[in-house]
Amino acid sequence: MPFRAFLDANVLVSARLRDVLLTLAEVALYEARWSPVVLAEVERHLPSTMAGDVVAAAVFSRSEALVTSDCRLRQELESYPELIEAQTPSAFVAYAIDSDLSCAGSALLNMAARRWLAGAESAANPAIRDRLAVWARRELGDAVSDLILQPEFRSRVG
């Protein structure tokens, strides 16, 4: 069974981050979980305001991690490591990509070519990987960008 992660509304509001997270789930690098409350918050484009509901839903869904941008929620959950592990989007994406670099690379490069560039370029084009790495460095940090720039990231694209 793949690693389960509960996605907070604040990581699903950003279209590109949502694309990355759902693409990694689509290729079974982890199993994405969320609740109706989270989806309602995403629809309203609001950050999570019901931390207790989010934590309860994450625990109820038997997720191993809660992916959230909410610093206070992550700090609170550090006191309860037996309950659930709270992770930043950048740490979680780095973990998911690193779990299978070539699978993640193929999925993310195809997603970027199809969704971000409207299929204008082939996923095998090195410029797509470079653009994805620039976005990742800006939005998720050096660790994710460095993984994207590894040769194995492009090994299945062709």
Side-chain angles (χ1 to χ4, degrees), residues 21-33:
L21 289 167
L22 296 181
T23 296
L24 294 172
E26 186 176 48
V27 295
L29 292 178
Y30 78 101
E31 188 176 306
R33 303 281 176 103

Side-chain angles (χ1 to χ4, degrees), residues 39-110:
L39 293 179
E41 290 176 17
V42 171
E43 249 180 50
R44 293 190 314 266
H45 297 288
L46 297 174
S48 177
T49 56
M50 301 181 173
D53 289 344
V54 170
V55 172
V59 172
F60 182 75
S61 70
R62 294 189 176 111
S63 296
E64 285 88 6
L66 169 59
V67 183
T68 182
S69 295
D70 186 334
C71 296
R72 284 184 290 165
L73 179 57
R74 284 194 316 272
Q75 288 172 342
E76 286 177 32
L77 287 173
E78 284 177 4
S79 302
Y80 305 98
E82 70 286 349
L83 192 60
I84 194 163
E85 181 182 352
Q87 294 185 4
T88 64
S90 57
F92 182 76
V93 170
Y95 171 81
I97 290 173
D98 198 36
S99 70
D100 189 334
L101 206 54
S102 64
C103 178
S106 175
L108 291 175
L109 291 170
N110 282 307

